[in-house]
Amino acid sequence: MRLNPLMLAPAGVVMALSACATVPADRAEVTGTAAYRERILLPPGHVLTVRLEDVSLADAPSRTLAEQVTPLEGRGPPYAFSLAYDPADIRANHSYAVRAEIRDADGRLRFTTDTRHSVITAGAPMSVDIMMVAVP
């Protein structure tokens, strides 16, 4: 049996498109993990929030470009995250950072980022591993 080359073309197109299906063309993403050093397992009800922020202005609040809120449901760290953002919102002369925090069921802050995790511009990576610290 001879294969018709025209029959193979649609299969190749489908395979190429499926490889690109993870992030739409008009979106980009910052990925990484968030964890804490304490050897404890948080009970259900705790929520991890990770934000991509424009932190360019020292005397103004940061602007959130993307946010992921994940109920932990008793799972232990590290927690993977993916923050999709619009590349049109990025300015080459601005600074961007990722922050993470964990709050309990009552909204009390339990863990948070205490260091800056720069991403996207000025040679910063597109993936970060965040180590949060306990809040007393």
Side-chain angles (χ1 to χ4, degrees):
M1 175 179 170
R2 294 185 60 190
L3 291 175
N4 182 344
L6 294 176
M7 292 175 65
L8 295 176
V13 169
V14 169
M15 288 173 49
L17 290 176
S18 65
C20 300
T22 55
V23 178
D26 63 341
R27 305 296 283 172
E29 69 180 353
V30 171
T31 60
T33 60
Y36 49 85
R37 292 192 198 290
E38 288 74 4
R39 298 178 66 77
I40 59 172
L41 186 60
L42 298 173
H46 285 73
V47 176
L48 169 69
T49 302
V50 183
R51 292 182 187 92
L52 170 61
E53 300 175 334
D54 182 339
V55 294
S56 302
L57 302 174
D59 59 346
S62 59
R63 183 172 67 99
T64 301
L65 300 176
E67 181 178 271
Q68 178 180 324
V69 178
T70 307
L72 299 182
E73 303 304 330
R75 291 180 294 119
Y79 309 108
F81 63 84
S82 176
L83 300 166
Y85 65 92
D86 185 350
D89 291 337
I90 302 301
R91 304 289 175 255
N93 61 340
H94 282 212
S95 299
Y96 301 91
V98 176
R99 292 186 37 78
E101 66 181 28
I102 295 176
R103 293 186 179 267
D104 66 16
D106 295 326
R108 290 186 302 258
L109 186 62
R110 296 288 311 274
F111 293 91
T112 191
T113 308
D114 71 341
T115 57
R116 181 171 168 160
H117 298 278
S118 297
V119 291
I120 304 172
T121 57
M126 296 296 290
S127 182
V128 293
D129 295 318
I130 298 172
M131 187 59 65
M132 296 177 286
V133 295
V135 175

